[in-house]
Amino acid sequence: MSYNTSAVGSGSRNTTRTFEFGRTHVVRPKGKHQTTIVWLHGLGDKGSSWSQILETLPLPNIKWICPTAPTRPVAIFGGFPCTAWFDVGDISEDAPDDLEGLDASATHVANLLSTEPADIKLGVGGFSMGAATALYSATCHILGQYGNGNLYPVNLSAVVGLSGWLPCSRTLRSQIERSEEAARRAASLPILLCHGSGDDVVAHKHGERSAQALSSAGFRNLTFRSYNGLGHYTIPEEMDEVCNWLTTRLGLDGSWS
């Protein structure tokens, strides 16, 4: 699936970028379908890597949708192309945000969720850059719109981010404070963030600061978990935490029919 986005550059000339998303892998629920979660992989990865992990989790009521990001030049790799949800040159609070890329990926996530049945709870999660995109989707849901002003069409019930960071953190609090509806949504949206203290790709401090930025912006239903010595990968203990948290927050009953 592809998206065309237009951006105004210097002067009056418009530039258009097309994002071609890769293959989407779906893990069907083994029991009664109660929730659908779009799960986003990390930089340079693909959806099939995580679909194989998610298929093994003891969560029979969840349908997992694992898309693959577009292949694009990435600044942090000197412009070398790889799968990426958006462009990134530096992981820090002061780095510029690729709003065009973030909006395209958040739109792709919302489109994947928008065709689910009305009685199904919806969520988004991810690892590393996928976690960053999931958190950006969460802020779009809270604000009711993407960064480009277009309406955000789906209602999220849970957000999970592993070893990630929060894009656009500098302006989030002021945006939410301008809207009572956004503040109400922020206060009620369940978010789980997990991060390893030994992460040498996305430093633990970025996960911690992201959690602090979300809390200060009014996200009261936020859980932040640190894992001593964990690097930039996941372990069974962390996935057990995800399973338990999703079961509790989404009211999953484990039923098979």
Side-chain angles (χ1 to χ4, degrees):
M1 188 175 293
S2 65
Y3 295 95
N4 292 317
T5 61
S6 295
V8 178
S10 58
S12 59
R13 208 171 64 180
N14 286 343
T15 59
T16 300
R17 281 200 290 171
T18 300
F19 299 99
E20 293 282 350
F21 289 83
R23 184 179 174 187
T24 296
H25 300 261
V26 177
V27 179
R28 303 287 177 187
K30 300 177 178 67
K32 181 182 178 182
H33 184 196
Q34 297 175 335
T35 298
T36 296
I37 296 176
V38 172
W39 190 271
L40 306 171
H41 61 75
L43 182 64
D45 204 354
K46 54 188 177 181
S48 60
S49 299
W50 276 96
S51 67
Q52 294 169 19
I53 296 173
L54 298 171
E55 194 168 19
T56 67
L57 300 183
L59 294 169
N61 308 122
I62 296 182
K63 172 184 175 182
W64 300 95
I65 302 176
C66 303
T68 299
T71 297
R72 70 177 80 199
V74 178
I76 203 169
F77 292 151
F80 185 83
C82 66
T83 53
W85 299 110
F86 54 92
D87 191 18
V88 60
D90 181 34
I91 300 171
S92 73
E93 290 75 18
D94 299 322
D97 293 299
D98 175 20
L99 276 178
E100 189 181 5
L102 283 162
D103 276 345
S105 291
T107 299
H108 188 59
V109 170
N111 286 346
L112 290 170
L113 291 170
S114 64
T115 57
E116 293 300 293
D119 61 338
I120 299 301
K121 292 180 179 178
L122 307 176
V124 60
F127 174 79
S128 190
M129 175 179 270
T133 308
L135 288 176
Y136 182 75
S137 295
T139 61
C140 292
H141 159 63
I142 295 306
L143 298 170
Q145 63 183 29
Y146 299 100
N148 60 18
N150 292 339
L151 293 179
Y152 188 78
V154 297
N155 183 37
L156 298 178
S157 296
V159 178
V160 179
L162 309 182
S163 306
W165 71 95
L166 174 66
C168 309
S169 61
R170 296 182 299 277
T171 59
L172 181 60
R173 182 174 178 175
S174 62
Q175 287 179 296
I176 291 177
E177 287 176 345
R178 291 197 293 265
S179 166
E180 289 185 12
E181 178 64 17
R184 183 190 64 78
R185 289 178 180 171
S188 62
L189 179 63
I191 298 180
L192 172 65
L193 300 181
C194 301
H195 218 112
S197 65
D199 195 327
D200 59 355
V201 177
V202 181
H204 182 270
K205 66 180 181 181
H206 294 308
E208 202 167 34
R209 288 172 183 170
S210 295
Q212 292 168 352
L214 288 165
S215 294
S216 67
F219 288 80
R220 298 174 190 165
N221 199 353
L222 171 70
T223 303
F224 181 73
R225 291 279 185 265
S226 294
Y227 292 85
N228 188 35
L230 179 65
H232 198 64
Y233 50 86
T234 189
I235 53 174
E237 180 186 355
E238 185 180 45
M239 296 313 296
D240 287 346
E241 175 79 26
V242 171
C243 291
N244 293 333
W245 185 87
L246 285 172
T247 298
T248 301
R249 293 301 189 278
L250 295 173
L252 304 177
D253 58 19
S255 61
W256 290 84
S257 60

PDB file of all heavy atoms in Angstrom, residues 122-143:
ATOM      1  N   LEU A 122      -9.232  -1.769  20.130  1.00  0.00           N
ATOM      2  CA  LEU A 122      -8.105  -1.538  19.231  1.00  0.00           C
ATOM      3  C   LEU A 122      -6.885  -1.038  19.993  1.00  0.00           C
ATOM      4  O   LEU A 122      -7.001  -0.261  20.943  1.00  0.00           O
ATOM      5  CB  LEU A 122      -8.490  -0.512  18.155  1.00  0.00           C
ATOM      6  CG  LEU A 122      -9.768  -0.805  17.357  1.00  0.00           C
ATOM      7  CD1 LEU A 122     -10.055   0.346  16.400  1.00  0.00           C
ATOM      8  CD2 LEU A 122      -9.650  -2.128  16.608  1.00  0.00           C
ATOM      9  N   GLY A 123      -5.708  -1.490  19.563  1.00  0.00           N
ATOM     10  CA  GLY A 123      -4.479  -1.041  20.194  1.00  0.00           C
ATOM     11  C   GLY A 123      -3.337  -0.967  19.199  1.00  0.00           C
ATOM     12  O   GLY A 123      -3.441  -1.434  18.065  1.00  0.00           O
ATOM     13  N   VAL A 124      -2.249  -0.375  19.637  1.00  0.00           N
ATOM     14  CA  VAL A 124      -1.046  -0.281  18.818  1.00  0.00           C
ATOM     15  C   VAL A 124       0.163  -0.432  19.732  1.00  0.00           C
ATOM     16  O   VAL A 124       0.162   0.031  20.878  1.00  0.00           O
ATOM     17  CB  VAL A 124      -0.994   1.048  18.022  1.00  0.00           C
ATOM     18  CG1 VAL A 124      -1.004   2.242  18.956  1.00  0.00           C
ATOM     19  CG2 VAL A 124       0.215   1.096  17.100  1.00  0.00           C
ATOM     20  N   GLY A 125       1.176  -1.129  19.225  1.00  0.00           N
ATOM     21  CA  GLY A 125       2.389  -1.318  20.000  1.00  0.00           C
ATOM     22  C   GLY A 125       3.572  -1.472  19.082  1.00  0.00           C
ATOM     23  O   GLY A 125       3.429  -1.536  17.853  1.00  0.00           O
ATOM     24  N   GLY A 126       4.763  -1.547  19.663  1.00  0.00           N
ATOM     25  CA  GLY A 126       5.928  -1.705  18.817  1.00  0.00           C
ATOM     26  C   GLY A 126       7.215  -1.728  19.603  1.00  0.00           C
ATOM     27  O   GLY A 126       7.245  -1.519  20.819  1.00  0.00           O
ATOM     28  N   PHE A 127       8.289  -1.972  18.860  1.00  0.00           N
ATOM     29  CA  PHE A 127       9.633  -2.062  19.421  1.00  0.00           C
ATOM     30  C   PHE A 127      10.519  -1.000  18.782  1.00  0.00           C
ATOM     31  O   PHE A 127      10.509  -0.830  17.554  1.00  0.00           O
ATOM     32  CB  PHE A 127      10.214  -3.457  19.166  1.00  0.00           C
ATOM     33  CG  PHE A 127      11.643  -3.620  19.586  1.00  0.00           C
ATOM     34  CD1 PHE A 127      11.966  -3.830  20.928  1.00  0.00           C
ATOM     35  CD2 PHE A 127      12.673  -3.553  18.663  1.00  0.00           C
ATOM     36  CE1 PHE A 127      13.284  -3.979  21.323  1.00  0.00           C
ATOM     37  CE2 PHE A 127      13.996  -3.694  19.042  1.00  0.00           C
ATOM     38  CZ  PHE A 127      14.301  -3.907  20.378  1.00  0.00           C
ATOM     39  N   SER A 128      11.273  -0.272  19.600  1.00  0.00           N
ATOM     40  CA  SER A 128      12.242   0.713  19.136  1.00  0.00           C
ATOM     41  C   SER A 128      11.567   1.795  18.285  1.00  0.00           C
ATOM     42  O   SER A 128      10.680   2.495  18.777  1.00  0.00           O
ATOM     43  CB  SER A 128      13.367  -0.001  18.364  1.00  0.00           C
ATOM     44  OG  SER A 128      14.439   0.863  18.089  1.00  0.00           O
ATOM     45  N   MET A 129      11.925   1.939  17.009  1.00  0.00           N
ATOM     46  CA  MET A 129      11.254   2.916  16.152  1.00  0.00           C
ATOM     47  C   MET A 129       9.766   2.598  16.019  1.00  0.00           C
ATOM     48  O   MET A 129       8.945   3.503  15.872  1.00  0.00           O
ATOM     49  CB  MET A 129      11.923   2.949  14.777  1.00  0.00           C
ATOM     50  CG  MET A 129      11.212   3.849  13.773  1.00  0.00           C
ATOM     51  SD  MET A 129      12.005   3.911  12.161  1.00  0.00           S
ATOM     52  CE  MET A 129      13.126   5.283  12.397  1.00  0.00           C
ATOM     53  N   GLY A 130       9.412   1.313  16.084  1.00  0.00           N
ATOM     54  CA  GLY A 130       8.006   0.940  16.079  1.00  0.00           C
ATOM     55  C   GLY A 130       7.284   1.437  17.316  1.00  0.00           C
ATOM     56  O   GLY A 130       6.124   1.855  17.250  1.00  0.00           O
ATOM     57  N   ALA A 131       7.979   1.408  18.464  1.00  0.00           N
ATOM     58  CA  ALA A 131       7.401   1.955  19.694  1.00  0.00           C
ATOM     59  C   ALA A 131       7.209   3.459  19.572  1.00  0.00           C
ATOM     60  O   ALA A 131       6.197   4.007  20.027  1.00  0.00           O
ATOM     61  CB  ALA A 131       8.301   1.633  20.886  1.00  0.00           C
ATOM     62  N   ALA A 132       8.186   4.139  18.961  1.00  0.00           N
ATOM     63  CA  ALA A 132       8.064   5.583  18.747  1.00  0.00           C
ATOM     64  C   ALA A 132       6.849   5.905  17.876  1.00  0.00           C
ATOM     65  O   ALA A 132       6.101   6.852  18.151  1.00  0.00           O
ATOM     66  CB  ALA A 132       9.337   6.123  18.100  1.00  0.00           C
ATOM     67  N   THR A 133       6.636   5.103  16.838  1.00  0.00           N
ATOM     68  CA  THR A 133       5.484   5.309  15.956  1.00  0.00           C
ATOM     69  C   THR A 133       4.183   5.007  16.675  1.00  0.00           C
ATOM     70  O   THR A 133       3.175   5.690  16.464  1.00  0.00           O
ATOM     71  CB  THR A 133       5.623   4.424  14.699  1.00  0.00           C
ATOM     72  OG1 THR A 133       6.910   4.642  14.114  1.00  0.00           O
ATOM     73  CG2 THR A 133       4.552   4.747  13.678  1.00  0.00           C
ATOM     74  N   ALA A 134       4.186   3.992  17.535  1.00  0.00           N
ATOM     75  CA  ALA A 134       3.000   3.676  18.334  1.00  0.00           C
ATOM     76  C   ALA A 134       2.652   4.839  19.268  1.00  0.00           C
ATOM     77  O   ALA A 134       1.477   5.211  19.413  1.00  0.00           O
ATOM     78  CB  ALA A 134       3.229   2.401  19.139  1.00  0.00           C
ATOM     79  N   LEU A 135       3.671   5.429  19.895  1.00  0.00           N
ATOM     80  CA  LEU A 135       3.423   6.559  20.794  1.00  0.00           C
ATOM     81  C   LEU A 135       2.955   7.784  20.016  1.00  0.00           C
ATOM     82  O   LEU A 135       2.118   8.554  20.497  1.00  0.00           O
ATOM     83  CB  LEU A 135       4.685   6.884  21.599  1.00  0.00           C
ATOM     84  CG  LEU A 135       5.042   5.867  22.693  1.00  0.00           C
ATOM     85  CD1 LEU A 135       6.362   6.227  23.350  1.00  0.00           C
ATOM     86  CD2 LEU A 135       3.935   5.786  23.742  1.00  0.00           C
ATOM     87  N   TYR A 136       3.491   7.963  18.819  1.00  0.00           N
ATOM     88  CA  TYR A 136       3.001   9.071  17.987  1.00  0.00           C
ATOM     89  C   TYR A 136       1.540   8.853  17.624  1.00  0.00           C
ATOM     90  O   TYR A 136       0.731   9.795  17.653  1.00  0.00           O
ATOM     91  CB  TYR A 136       3.844   9.210  16.726  1.00  0.00           C
ATOM     92  CG  TYR A 136       3.400  10.371  15.857  1.00  0.00           C
ATOM     93  CD1 TYR A 136       3.697  11.682  16.232  1.00  0.00           C
ATOM     94  CD2 TYR A 136       2.668  10.166  14.697  1.00  0.00           C
ATOM     95  CE1 TYR A 136       3.276  12.758  15.455  1.00  0.00           C
ATOM     96  CE2 TYR A 136       2.239  11.234  13.915  1.00  0.00           C
ATOM     97  CZ  TYR A 136       2.542  12.528  14.304  1.00  0.00           C
ATOM     98  OH  TYR A 136       2.111  13.593  13.538  1.00  0.00           O
ATOM     99  N   SER A 137       1.170   7.608  17.292  1.00  0.00           N
ATOM    100  CA  SER A 137      -0.236   7.285  17.017  1.00  0.00           C
ATOM    101  C   SER A 137      -1.104   7.579  18.229  1.00  0.00           C
ATOM    102  O   SER A 137      -2.231   8.076  18.092  1.00  0.00           O
ATOM    103  CB  SER A 137      -0.366   5.813  16.625  1.00  0.00           C
ATOM    104  OG  SER A 137       0.279   5.534  15.408  1.00  0.00           O
ATOM    105  N   ALA A 138      -0.580   7.294  19.409  1.00  0.00           N
ATOM    106  CA  ALA A 138      -1.327   7.582  20.638  1.00  0.00           C
ATOM    107  C   ALA A 138      -1.595   9.079  20.781  1.00  0.00           C
ATOM    108  O   ALA A 138      -2.705   9.489  21.143  1.00  0.00           O
ATOM    109  CB  ALA A 138      -0.554   7.068  21.851  1.00  0.00           C
ATOM    110  N   THR A 139      -0.591   9.907  20.480  1.00  0.00           N
ATOM    111  CA  THR A 139      -0.794  11.356  20.595  1.00  0.00           C
ATOM    112  C   THR A 139      -1.778  11.859  19.536  1.00  0.00           C
ATOM    113  O   THR A 139      -2.561  12.771  19.804  1.00  0.00           O
ATOM    114  CB  THR A 139       0.540  12.114  20.472  1.00  0.00           C
ATOM    115  OG1 THR A 139       1.133  11.875  19.193  1.00  0.00           O
ATOM    116  CG2 THR A 139       1.514  11.665  21.554  1.00  0.00           C
ATOM    117  N   CYS A 140      -1.771  11.233  18.349  1.00  0.00           N
ATOM    118  CA  CYS A 140      -2.755  11.604  17.317  1.00  0.00           C
ATOM    119  C   CYS A 140      -4.167  11.279  17.801  1.00  0.00           C
ATOM    120  O   CYS A 140      -5.108  12.058  17.592  1.00  0.00           O
ATOM    121  CB  CYS A 140      -2.461  10.872  16.011  1.00  0.00           C
ATOM    122  SG  CYS A 140      -0.930  11.372  15.187  1.00  0.00           S
ATOM    123  N   HIS A 141      -4.319  10.116  18.421  1.00  0.00           N
ATOM    124  CA  HIS A 141      -5.622   9.732  18.976  1.00  0.00           C
ATOM    125  C   HIS A 141      -6.068  10.725  20.041  1.00  0.00           C
ATOM    126  O   HIS A 141      -7.233  11.161  20.061  1.00  0.00           O
ATOM    127  CB  HIS A 141      -5.528   8.321  19.561  1.00  0.00           C
ATOM    128  CG  HIS A 141      -6.585   7.995  20.563  1.00  0.00           C
ATOM    129  ND1 HIS A 141      -7.937   7.963  20.257  1.00  0.00           N
ATOM    130  CD2 HIS A 141      -6.503   7.707  21.889  1.00  0.00           C
ATOM    131  CE1 HIS A 141      -8.640   7.651  21.346  1.00  0.00           C
ATOM    132  NE2 HIS A 141      -7.784   7.507  22.342  1.00  0.00           N
ATOM    133  N   ILE A 142      -5.151  11.094  20.920  1.00  0.00           N
ATOM    134  CA  ILE A 142      -5.485  12.021  22.015  1.00  0.00           C
ATOM    135  C   ILE A 142      -5.902  13.379  21.469  1.00  0.00           C
ATOM    136  O   ILE A 142      -6.897  13.968  21.912  1.00  0.00           O
ATOM    137  CB  ILE A 142      -4.272  12.182  22.960  1.00  0.00           C
ATOM    138  CG1 ILE A 142      -3.941  10.869  23.659  1.00  0.00           C
ATOM    139  CG2 ILE A 142      -4.539  13.291  23.985  1.00  0.00           C
ATOM    140  CD1 ILE A 142      -5.083  10.223  24.391  1.00  0.00           C
ATOM    141  N   LEU A 143      -5.164  13.878  20.493  1.00  0.00           N
ATOM    142  CA  LEU A 143      -5.428  15.206  19.927  1.00  0.00           C
ATOM    143  C   LEU A 143      -6.556  15.189  18.897  1.00  0.00           C
ATOM    144  O   LEU A 143      -7.055  16.242  18.495  1.00  0.00           O
ATOM    145  CB  LEU A 143      -4.153  15.773  19.302  1.00  0.00           C
ATOM    146  CG  LEU A 143      -2.991  16.002  20.279  1.00  0.00           C
ATOM    147  CD1 LEU A 143      -1.713  16.336  19.524  1.00  0.00           C
ATOM    148  CD2 LEU A 143      -3.332  17.097  21.279  1.00  0.00           C
TER     149      LEU A 143
END
